[in-house]
Amino acid sequence: MWQYEKKLQYPVNIKNPDPKLAKFIISQLGGPDGELAASMRYLNQRYSMPYGEVKGLLTDIGTEELAHMEMISAILYQLTRNLTPDQIKESGFDAYFVDHTTGIYPVAASGMPFTATYFQVKGDPITDLMEDMAAEQKARSTYDNILRLADDPDVRDPIKFLREREIVHFQRFGEGLRITQDNLNSKNFYACNPAFDKKCGKNCRR
């Protein structure tokens, strides 16, 4: 069951519209390393995770990614509200505007719409957790790139918060990987898939 608290995880208060910047930031909504893909990745991976503590970790982080998706949407909304037709054309926001006006739609900075191919669920704990760690680093790199392009402190502040959370998630997935490996044969972590193979544990050998 979900309990929704009617506030953002971190405040977003942008005073000046900037549709050109919104074109970049939108990648963290619907891009290959964005928050929508992250939330779907973790909330679906948790079902086949055989270890309760790691399953809880995936649930917690997947839920937080939904909150991050909400933050990014708020940033996009505030960067594009009350635009004039001239501002839309001058900023290059016109191609997006034609299809979506100033509604929030998940696309990458390239204009590619969101696709489920952006995330993976392999059903193997080590494989999935390694992907999760890589995903968090790629998201952190994307936020680094956004910060290189953004000058407005009202935009940079929540973006820096989101970047910090990617680092924390990377560390927590590292802990999840350690927990998983502690349950497996230390001489061969890949002797079996504990999410699928019935007899799998520290004594399992291939």
Side-chain angles (χ1 to χ4, degrees):
M1 179 181 290
W2 302 96
Q3 292 183 334
Y4 180 73
E5 191 171 351
K6 295 183 180 180
K7 66 176 184 179
L8 295 177
Q9 185 183 11
Y10 190 87
V12 176
N13 297 297
I14 299 170
K15 304 177 191 68
N16 301 311
D18 188 340
K20 186 174 182 179
L21 186 55
K23 287 178 58 183
F24 307 139
I25 293 175
I26 202 165
S27 224
Q28 278 304 90
L29 175 64
D33 306 307
E35 306 294 357
L36 176 55
S39 63
M40 295 297 98
R41 178 186 301 112
Y42 308 145
L43 291 175
N44 284 287
Q45 284 179 354
R46 64 188 173 142
Y47 290 101
S48 55
M49 178 58 64
Y51 310 118
E53 190 173 353
V54 186
K55 183 178 291 188
L57 178 68
L58 287 163
T59 302
D60 289 346
I61 297 178
T63 303
E64 185 177 354
E65 301 292 11
L66 292 173
H68 293 175
M69 189 170 67
E70 186 177 38
M71 282 183 62
I72 290 293
S73 295
I75 291 170
L76 295 171
Y77 168 73
Q78 292 183 25
L79 284 173
T80 58
R81 62 186 171 188
N82 302 321
L83 294 177
T84 66
D86 286 342
Q87 287 175 315
I88 291 167
K89 287 185 285 188
E90 290 167 4
S91 65
F93 194 69
D94 46 355
Y96 179 93
F97 177 83
V98 167
D99 288 333
H100 310 292
T101 318
T102 55
I104 306 301
Y105 181 76
V107 297
S110 63
M112 178 70 69
F114 176 80
T115 168
T117 59
Y118 287 157
F119 66 92
Q120 179 60 269
V121 179
K122 196 66 175 178
D124 181 289
I126 291 180
T127 303
D128 283 344
L129 288 166
M130 292 293 285
E131 166 151 339
D132 299 343
M133 293 175 71
E136 294 296 328
Q137 288 288 17
K138 287 187 283 186
R140 189 266 308 160
S141 295
T142 303
Y143 281 125
D144 283 343
N145 292 338
I146 290 170
L147 287 169
R148 291 184 179 101
L149 298 172
D151 296 323
D152 188 340
D154 291 343
V155 176
R156 289 178 60 84
D157 185 46
I159 293 295
K160 285 192 287 185
F161 169 82
L162 291 167
R163 179 189 181 276
E164 290 169 4
R165 296 306 299 166
E166 306 297 349
I167 296 170
V168 171
H169 292 172
F170 173 79
Q171 294 169 333
R172 292 196 67 198
F173 281 131
E175 295 167 4
L177 181 61
R178 177 186 54 76
I179 292 167
T180 297
Q181 291 176 331
D182 285 347
N183 283 278
L184 299 173
N185 183 347
S186 61
K187 294 182 179 180
N188 185 359
F189 295 134
Y190 310 102
C192 62
N193 174 0
F196 182 79
D197 297 306
K198 300 303 180 185
K199 294 181 179 180
C200 190
K202 293 185 177 181
N203 296 319
C204 185
R205 285 177 170 80
R206 175 169 291 172

